[in-house]
Amino acid sequence: MDNEVLEFDIGLEGGERECEDDEGDIEHPMAMAMAIEEDELADADRGRGTATSGSGGEIYVPEGFGAGDLLDLEPYEGMEFESEEAAKAFYNSYARRIGFSTRVSSSRRSRRDGAIIQRQFVCAKEGFRNLNEKRTKDREIKRPRTITRVGCKAALSVKMHDSGKWIVSGFVREHNHELVPPDQVHCLRSHRQISGAAKTLIDTLQAAGMGPRRIMSALIKECGGISKVGFTEVDCRNYMRNNRQRSLEGDIQLVLDYLRQMHAENPCFFYAVQSDEDQSMSNVFWADPKARLNYTFFGDTVTFDTTYRSNRYRLPFAPFTGVNHHGQPVLFGCAFLINESEASFVWLFKTWLMAMSGRPPLSITTDHDSVIRSAVLQVFPETRHRFCKWHIFKKCQEKLSHIFLKYPNFEVEFHRCVNLTESIEEFESCWSTLIDRYDLRDHEWLQAIYSACKQWVPVYLRDTFFAEMSITQRSDGMNSYFDGYVNASTNLNQFFKLYEKALDSRNEKEVRADYDTMNSSPVLKTPSPMEKQASELYTRKIFMRFQEELVGTLTFMASKTEDDGEVVTYHVAKFGEDHKAYYVKFNVLEMKASCSCQMFEFSGLVCRHVLAVFRVTNVLTLPAHYILKRWTRNAKSSVTLEEHSCDIYSYYLESHTVRYNTLRHVAFKFVDEGAKSPETYDVAMGALQEATKRVVQVMQSEERILINNGKVRSHLQIDESHTNSRSGHEEGNLGQHMSEDDMDKSIRELMNELEFANRKCEIYRSNLLSVLKAVEDHKLELSIKVENIKISIKDGL
């Protein structure tokens, strides 16, 4: 029989598995789709025959049918097909025209050779979901799927004939549910297919760094509508994920080979691999020796940077970073996160902590992510966890774009509310006013970030160290260590070359900063000994930040508001701006001050408000506890310079201030007690007069000692010679004839000698510290030269 042939593409490549709205108990997932284009149908003739399939499948149209009638062609008993796949494709094409989805329901095999000889294709809503308790009791269903099966009877049965052809043995046309209109058919599972051309475009755009949402927008525009694309954003997202997974699996051996090689070259190179239940590699972590050493110096605050996973880069790559003594990002380790579950993050954090000798950081900054948050709580229960404010602001642009367009001032007010409020009460009031003014109290996302405000709004975080120079003057966005090296098109084959290049660049920048600090003196802007002290202790960048605060004190006035004898409270504000005051509590005995702005707690640098109080209380040098070693030139030194003294004069000034404040504290208490009654007044006045005489005598004695050849004569020797001269006349009677005045004089002389000896000890101690500091400086200079030579050799090669 002569038959006309109609070509069509069955498209058996299959759609990707959907992750949101399909039932999980489909017996045979139908991932095939067939598109019969109308222009192809126009070439078809009528005729009775068979249908075959393949890469360029054929349908033999029965004789007597016109091309236009093929649009209304439906299955009937006795209809023949060349293969089971052709029957399936035809029924799926029919389902697309009518408006329902199909799937494979059951099959029957030959007892002779086990080959399938009968198939039944049904409507996807056939039957009912199996709620058998035995099937679900052993597994917890975290996200129950929507019930879609309603017992529909529509079906097509085909069986294999002795001739090898497949014949329709049964067909049920009627459905017990509404069918889907043509503009929604592309959402049905069996009709969702990513064509070869679409895959090529997706691959190209994915390599360029575009996400699934933007790629779908491009496809919709290219095809002329979502219904003509043929699949949904979920399919696109899943295809991209699987594409990435296949790429990673192909290159994963490169990662393992690299890590093994690095560990073989240096046993201090740490790496660990997490495996899935099927023993396939899931996640990888590594830290080189320099990263582990850096953590011992700068591991007080850590950033877990997942930006390479979420917004710009498509590699599941996440480094641990911190801040060094120059304010530069420094690496603490890296991870590839192929599986991003909570269990994976818990494993990663525990592994990282083990590599860092088990010492958790004071604070950690991550993206705003509930899974990461849960893992941090489990592994770092004592560490202060902060969400990256920069990420939240970036998310605002997406979630509140319609508000930004409608109200141009909203964004500015929102940033001011978060960044510039000085207290928790002020923030709460400002937030409430802002939400009410723009009628956003019911905005779900805003309420969600407000509920987590203690983990990202600055006023709640100032009491914890995060190594940031200022609370409001810069964004607290993560320092992306690999920016400019790893990008959206980076694959694992290229990654480690770029990774090593980034390490070399960062190391070179640190060496350069060390060199600049050691070989150039900053310009001092005040005659303050404190500024000179800081310039010799801090690195160049940190000193510049401190100098900014010190110079800023010139515009502030500090006035005493409360004094309990031990702690004095000062009101610090700019002239004429008393409504913007800060409050500094100063412990005069311990030389410790705390400011309401909490800048020292947050950044490790003294704020201008505390420095203003130091100025009015005659504190001329920074007390040792206000100089964090991690910000100094010797941050990576093993020598501890406890006093942080620069020279003898600076130490003398500091000691003088301590003595002054201690005497002042005791004197105030003495005056308070002495003034309570006339009797205590007379006793106190007499004691003060006697004390004044003794102080004058000590001062006169001190002057005589210092004038006598510029050094102290041993009073012990004087007393000894005096005793010996008298022993010939009054041997054994010295104690009897020594008057009380002579004993007091000897005691005073001994005390003066002890005081002078203490001063000499401090001089020797200061000189020793200077020598140690010079040794450390020389070691640092040699280290810089070595690093420069290494870089020059590497560049030459």
Side-chain angles (χ1 to χ4, degrees):
M1 180 182 295
D2 295 331
N3 295 301
E4 296 291 336
V5 178
L6 176 65
E7 301 285 345
F8 73 99
D9 181 10
I10 291 180
L12 296 176
E13 297 167 62
E16 302 299 331
R17 184 170 181 83
E18 182 179 9
C19 61
E20 292 186 0
D21 57 0
D22 287 328
E23 293 191 86
D25 55 348
I26 295 177
E27 188 173 1
H28 297 282
M30 185 80 167
M32 305 177 190
M34 178 184 73
I36 302 179
E37 305 295 342
E38 293 186 9
D39 58 338
E40 292 174 329
L41 294 176
D43 297 330
D45 291 329
R46 284 187 172 181
R48 178 170 181 173
T50 60
T52 63
S53 69
S55 58
E58 302 176 340
I59 290 182
Y60 291 84
V61 184
E63 196 174 317
F65 285 85
D69 294 331
L70 190 59
L71 291 173
D72 300 322
L73 184 63
E74 66 177 26
Y76 54 86
E77 290 189 23
M79 191 174 186
E80 296 182 357
F81 298 93
E82 284 292 331
S83 66
E84 172 200 351
E85 288 77 13
K88 184 189 301 183
F90 179 81
Y91 188 58
N92 201 52
S93 176
Y94 163 76
R96 182 182 180 91
R97 297 199 312 271
I98 300 302
F100 68 96
S101 183
T102 66
R103 61 184 174 85
V104 177
S105 174
S106 62
S107 61
R108 180 183 172 192
R109 294 182 178 273
S110 169
R111 295 181 180 178
R112 184 174 62 252
D113 56 8
I116 296 175
I117 59 174
Q118 187 171 339
R119 282 282 199 192
Q120 184 179 37
F121 310 113
V122 298
C123 173
K125 293 181 179 290
E126 179 268 345
F128 298 94
R129 174 173 295 182
N130 189 336
L131 299 178
N132 189 341
E133 291 185 1
K134 292 182 180 179
R135 190 177 175 195
T136 59
K137 68 178 181 180
D138 295 331
R139 60 187 179 96
E140 179 185 357
I141 301 177
K142 296 183 179 180
R143 189 181 61 181
R145 300 183 184 276
T146 304
I147 295 177
T148 59
R149 298 192 181 187
V150 296
C152 182
K153 300 294 185 181
L156 176 73
S157 300
V158 293
K159 63 181 180 180
M160 190 175 185
H161 195 265
D162 293 339
S163 63
K165 295 185 179 181
W166 289 74
I167 300 176
V168 175
S169 58
F171 172 61
V172 179
R173 178 188 301 106
E174 294 76 15
H175 296 262
N176 67 348
H177 55 86
E178 292 186 5
L179 299 177
V180 174
D183 62 340
Q184 298 177 16
V185 169
H186 68 281
C187 296
L188 294 173
R189 181 170 180 178
S190 68
H191 308 310
R192 284 155 51 179
Q193 172 198 355
I194 304 180
S195 66
K199 288 180 180 180
T200 301
L201 182 57
I202 291 174
D203 293 343
T204 302
L205 298 180
Q206 183 180 12
M210 290 178 63
R213 184 169 300 175
R214 293 177 61 192
I215 290 176
M216 279 302 295
S217 298
L219 287 167
I220 292 170
K221 185 176 181 180
E222 182 73 18
C223 298
I226 182 65
S227 62
K228 295 183 179 180
V229 173
F231 53 90
T232 66
E233 185 178 327
V234 172
D235 301 314
C236 180
R237 189 181 302 276
N238 290 339
Y239 171 78
M240 293 172 65
R241 184 194 65 230
N242 294 336
N243 202 22
R244 184 179 65 196
Q245 183 77 16
R246 286 190 295 271
S247 176
L248 286 173
E249 289 173 355
D251 292 337
I252 214 67
Q253 192 60 41
L254 295 174
V255 176
L256 295 177
D257 291 343
Y258 176 85
L259 298 180
R260 290 183 185 124
Q261 178 186 347
M262 297 301 292
H263 179 70
E265 293 176 359
N266 190 334
C268 292
F269 185 95
F270 181 99
Y271 78 96
V273 180
Q274 183 189 27
S275 299
D276 283 336
E277 295 178 358
D278 60 357
Q279 299 303 310
S280 62
M281 193 182 82
S282 176
N283 298 301
V284 183
F285 168 76
W286 73 93
D288 61 38
K290 183 174 178 61
R292 301 175 73 184
L293 185 62
N294 281 335
Y295 186 78
T296 64
F297 303 130
F298 311 113
D300 40 20
T301 184
V302 174
T303 292
F304 180 57
D305 190 349
T306 53
T307 55
Y308 298 90
R309 166 181 66 94
S310 58
N311 57 356
R312 285 175 296 176
Y313 307 105
R314 296 299 165 245
L315 269 175
F317 172 63
F320 292 86
T321 60
V323 180
N324 69 6
H325 53 323
H326 299 292
Q328 300 168 331
V330 60
L331 192 64
F332 297 147
C334 301
F336 276 125
L337 294 170
I338 300 173
N339 181 342
E340 300 172 49
S341 64
E342 180 179 319
S344 291
F345 283 113
V346 169
W347 172 86
L348 175 60
F349 291 153
K350 287 182 177 179
T351 304
W352 175 79
L353 190 60
M354 179 173 62
M356 301 299 129
S357 302
R359 180 171 62 93
L362 297 175
S363 60
I364 186 170
T365 303
T366 73
D367 192 7
H368 183 205
D369 186 294
S370 59
V371 175
I372 296 177
R373 179 187 183 188
S374 178
V376 169
L377 285 173
Q378 294 180 55
V379 183
F380 309 113
E382 303 299 323
T383 298
R384 188 70 177 273
H385 183 201
R386 177 180 68 165
F387 296 139
C388 179
K389 186 177 66 179
W390 181 83
H391 281 158
I392 291 179
F393 282 159
K394 187 173 180 65
K395 200 72 173 177
C396 279
Q397 297 174 356
E398 175 187 336
K399 298 291 185 178
L400 303 175
S401 57
H402 60 294
I403 302 297
F404 290 173
L405 290 174
K406 187 176 181 180
Y407 304 107
N409 292 330
F410 175 81
E411 186 173 9
V412 174
E413 293 183 38
F414 181 79
H415 280 257
R416 186 182 298 122
C417 175
V418 172
N419 289 324
L420 300 183
T421 46
E422 296 291 343
S423 66
I424 293 174
E425 294 75 17
E426 184 183 355
F427 166 75
E428 296 283 354
S429 175
C430 183
W431 181 277
S432 181
T433 301
L434 187 69
I435 296 301
D436 289 338
R437 180 182 302 156
Y438 294 100
D439 193 23
L440 295 172
R441 195 160 289 279
D442 296 328
H443 194 283
E444 185 177 348
W445 187 79
L446 273 178
Q447 290 303 314
I449 63 170
Y450 174 73
S451 65
C453 63
K454 292 182 180 180
Q455 290 185 268
W456 66 277
V457 177
V459 291
Y460 293 97
L461 299 162
R462 292 176 180 171
D463 60 344
T464 304
F465 182 76
F466 283 98
E468 293 190 5
M469 300 299 100
S470 171
I471 294 175
T472 59
Q473 291 182 357
R474 56 164 275 192
S475 168
D476 65 350
M478 299 177 179
N479 292 309
S480 295
Y481 188 92
F482 292 94
D483 272 4
Y485 296 93
V486 178
N487 56 48
S489 61
T490 304
N491 56 44
L492 288 183
N493 196 26
Q494 305 167 320
F495 173 79
F496 283 107
K497 294 179 182 178
L498 297 172
Y499 162 83
E500 291 182 347
K501 189 175 181 181
L503 292 186
D504 289 342
S505 175
R506 293 294 183 184
N507 290 339
E508 184 179 356
K509 288 179 179 178
E510 182 176 334
V511 168
R512 185 65 190 177
D514 284 337
Y515 179 85
D516 290 342
T517 295
M518 299 301 299
N519 293 279
S520 60
S521 299
V523 177
L524 302 183
K525 298 182 179 180
T526 72
S528 167
M530 188 180 292
E531 184 181 17
K532 185 175 187 298
Q533 174 196 21
S535 70
E536 296 176 353
L537 288 174
Y538 287 135
T539 60
R540 186 176 180 84
K541 181 174 180 179
I542 302 305
F543 169 73
M544 299 296 286
R545 184 67 188 88
F546 171 81
Q547 187 182 57
E548 182 183 335
E549 292 298 311
L550 185 64
V551 172
T553 63
L554 300 177
T555 62
F556 278 82
M557 301 291 293
S559 56
K560 189 189 305 180
T561 60
E562 185 180 343
D563 187 353
D564 65 2
E566 183 174 341
V567 177
V568 184
T569 303
Y570 289 87
H571 173 280
V572 183
K574 287 185 177 181
F575 180 77
E577 296 184 6
D578 289 345
H579 61 289
K580 294 182 180 179
Y582 298 87
Y583 292 90
V584 176
K585 293 183 181 296
F586 183 40
N587 187 312
V588 295
L589 293 180
E590 298 180 0
M591 294 287 286
K592 291 183 178 179
S594 61
C595 180
S596 58
C597 79
Q598 296 182 302
M599 177 175 163
F600 180 75
E601 291 81 356
F602 188 74
S603 67
L605 291 175
V606 183
C607 66
R608 60 191 62 190
H609 318 118
V610 169
L611 292 175
V613 171
F614 283 171
R615 187 183 72 236
V616 300
T617 54
N618 200 34
V619 179
L620 300 180
T621 60
L622 275 175
H625 46 262
Y626 283 113
I627 304 175
L628 298 189
K629 184 180 178 183
R630 62 118 51 237
W631 290 135
T632 67
R633 302 177 178 208
N634 298 311
K636 300 172 79 169
S637 165
S638 58
V639 176
T640 303
L641 307 181
E642 293 180 355
E643 297 296 334
H644 298 282
S645 299
C646 304
D647 51 49
I648 302 169
Y649 179 61
S650 294
Y651 182 79
Y652 169 75
L653 290 175
E654 185 175 322
S655 302
H656 177 270
T657 303
V658 172
R659 293 195 299 270
Y660 173 85
N661 285 326
T662 303
L663 283 173
R664 173 181 171 277
H665 173 66
V666 175
F668 275 158
K669 284 189 174 181
F670 183 76
V671 170
D672 287 341
E673 295 294 327
K676 287 184 177 179
S677 68
E679 291 77 12
T680 57
Y681 171 79
D682 291 338
V683 172
M685 185 58 73
L688 284 175
Q689 291 172 350
E690 180 64 25
T692 301
K693 291 179 182 178
R694 293 197 173 195
V695 169
V696 170
Q697 291 174 353
V698 170
M699 290 175 64
Q700 292 173 347
S701 176
E702 242 183 4
E703 289 175 359
R704 287 196 300 270
I705 293 171
L706 293 173
I707 291 172
N708 187 13
N709 295 326
K711 63 179 182 179
V712 182
R713 292 177 59 191
S714 172
H715 294 290
L716 291 174
Q717 293 175 354
I718 294 173
D719 290 342
E720 183 180 350
S721 62
H722 179 63
T723 302
N724 290 336
S725 66
R726 297 176 60 187
S727 63
H729 307 285
E730 305 175 53
E731 184 176 0
N733 298 319
L734 177 62
Q736 298 176 8
H737 294 280
M738 182 177 288
S739 66
E740 184 176 343
D741 289 341
D742 290 337
M743 292 177 65
D744 289 342
K745 182 179 179 182
S746 295
I747 291 172
R748 285 196 300 272
E749 289 175 347
L750 289 171
M751 290 178 64
N752 292 336
E753 182 181 356
L754 179 62
E755 174 69 18
F756 192 79
N758 285 336
R759 292 185 185 179
K760 289 183 68 176
C761 287
E762 293 300 338
I763 292 172
Y764 293 145
R765 187 167 180 270
S766 180
N767 289 337
L768 177 59
L769 291 172
S770 298
V771 171
L772 291 174
K773 180 175 178 296
V775 170
E776 288 300 323
D777 290 347
H778 186 60
K779 284 171 60 180
L780 185 57
E781 289 177 357
L782 291 177
S783 174
I784 292 171
K785 290 179 180 178
V786 170
E787 290 295 332
N788 283 331
I789 292 171
K790 287 182 179 179
I791 293 171
S792 299
I793 293 174
K794 193 165 186 178
D795 290 342
L797 294 177

